Amino acid sequence: MEKTFVIVKPDGVQRGLIGEIIARLERRGLKMSAAKFMQVSQELAETHYGIHKGKPFYEGLIKYITSAPVMAMVWEGPNAVAAVRQTMGATRPTEAAPGSVRHDFGLEVGRNITHASDSPENGELEIKLWFKPEELVEWGRANDEWIFE
Ligand code: DAT
Ligand code: MG
């Protein structure tokens, strides 16, 4: 089943939103595969956001993601990438759909609370970058058959 990589960014952690965000993903029916609370190194930040290198917001983005601990997670489900992007909302909180995390808790693009992979291919790359294979847990959830068709 499809997996996607999610971060509760430093602002989400500092604001006590880890539980809120996990609750929304759980309530949606997505299944957690891995999670770790961690400080992001400069090197990991630069690799993760390598695609944005050279853009005007790059330096600020690296400073932001390394400024305090994050909650890094892997979530699984049918169309997990699209489902999680939808739950998080558009990159700019003022363009995010009402009811999404970025709408409900955010105002500024540089404090948009979460990261979520933007394609299944990038999801796989990001999971490999952030987690060792043995940190991913394959498990049967009691209500899987009532959520996954
Ligand atoms: P997303 O996080 O929705 O996948 P992205 O990959 O385009 O968005 O950009 C990564 C992060 O960089 C984004 O969450 C916030 C920041 N960012 C993007 N565009 C920005 C901009 N124009 N000004 C400031 N920060 C920006
Ligand atoms: Mg992105």
Side-chain angles (χ1 to χ4, degrees):
M1 201 162 294
E2 192 168 284
K3 290 188 174 80
T4 189
F5 174 66
V6 176
I7 309 174
V8 180
K9 291 175 175 176
D11 50 339
V13 171
Q14 295 286 347
R15 294 173 61 193
L17 295 174
I18 295 173
E20 169 75 34
I21 290 161
I22 289 177
R24 286 177 178 224
L25 296 173
E26 280 188 323
R27 198 166 63 198
R28 187 103 196 250
L30 291 151
K31 188 165 143 184
M32 186 184 277
S33 294
K36 58 181 164 189
F37 184 66
M38 60 185 283
Q39 176 65 46
V40 180
S41 69
Q42 182 77 16
E43 188 190 1
L44 178 57
E46 288 179 5
T47 307
H48 177 76
Y49 281 129
I51 193 160
H52 297 299
K53 195 167 183 176
K55 294 184 186 169
F57 58 85
Y58 176 75
E59 304 293 337
L61 182 59
I62 298 297
K63 206 169 163 194
Y64 166 44
I65 201 74
T66 57
S67 62
V70 303
M71 187 73 177
M73 300 180 278
V74 178
W75 288 83
E76 182 180 14
N79 295 310
V81 167
V84 174
R85 292 280 291 186
Q86 185 183 40
T87 290
M88 298 315 177
T91 306
R92 291 183 179 279
T94 50
E95 292 167 8
S100 65
V101 167
R102 285 165 166 175
H103 169 279
D104 290 355
F105 299 102
L107 290 168
E108 297 244 54
V109 68
R111 296 288 183 272
N112 64 1
I113 308 155
T114 58
H115 166 83
S117 308
D118 62 7
S119 68
E121 297 71 39
N122 284 337
E124 280 181 29
L125 290 173
E126 290 174 354
I127 291 166
K128 277 202 193 100
L129 176 65
W130 287 75
F131 286 93
K132 299 182 193 125
E134 63 268 27
E135 291 176 324
L136 292 167
V137 181
E138 289 294 336
W139 60 294
R141 187 173 50 179
N143 58 3
D144 273 349
E145 68 177 299
W146 301 106
I147 298 169
F148 303 151
E149 190 178 347

